[in-house]
Amino acid sequence: MKIAIYGDSFACPKSARYPDLLPASYKSWMKILEEKYNRDITNFAVSGSALFFSYENFESNFHKFDKNIFVATTPHRLYIPHLEKQHWVIALVMND
């Protein structure tokens, strides 16, 4: 099964960002999915990115994968082009 992950630092493998601060035995939740459940994972997450950036990656790539995991960022990182005023998003619900 091919899985894609989209989002900000919460979806980005922390072991890749801070290898010197974590014990050698530390594994991100993505690595556990990959190893324990034998899944092929592609991670599009970028630390500090806005929701729109992640959504653009999702739009371009979701059809290439069996499952897609989308981790929404915190409201203060929202950037939605073409709006005169930026709006806060309280919750995002995605269904199959």
Side-chain angles (χ1 to χ4, degrees), residues 26-43:
Y26 176 84
K27 290 185 182 176
S28 65
W29 61 270
M30 304 86 166
K31 196 68 173 168
I32 293 170
L33 274 178
E34 193 173 57
E35 292 177 357
K36 186 174 182 178
Y37 300 103
N38 195 28
R39 301 297 188 229
D40 179 19
I41 296 181
T42 302
N43 195 316

Side-chain angles (χ1 to χ4, degrees), residues 11-84:
C12 188
K14 294 188 184 334
S15 57
R17 292 187 306 138
Y18 305 110
D20 297 336
L21 300 179
L22 299 170
S25 62
Y26 176 84
K27 290 185 182 176
S28 65
W29 61 270
M30 304 86 166
K31 196 68 173 168
I32 293 170
L33 274 178
E34 193 173 57
E35 292 177 357
K36 186 174 182 178
Y37 300 103
N38 195 28
R39 301 297 188 229
D40 179 19
I41 296 181
T42 302
N43 195 316
F44 294 95
V46 175
S47 295
S49 61
L51 181 61
F52 186 73
F53 172 84
S54 299
Y55 182 72
E56 281 188 317
N57 276 331
F58 172 78
E59 279 280 290
S60 300
N61 295 292
F62 78 92
H63 61 280
K64 301 174 191 173
F65 298 90
D66 302 310
K67 294 286 181 187
N68 291 277
I69 299 172
F70 194 97
V71 179
T73 188
T74 58
H76 70 279
R77 285 192 183 160
L78 290 181
Y79 166 73
I80 303 170
H82 316 300
L83 290 180
E84 290 181 24

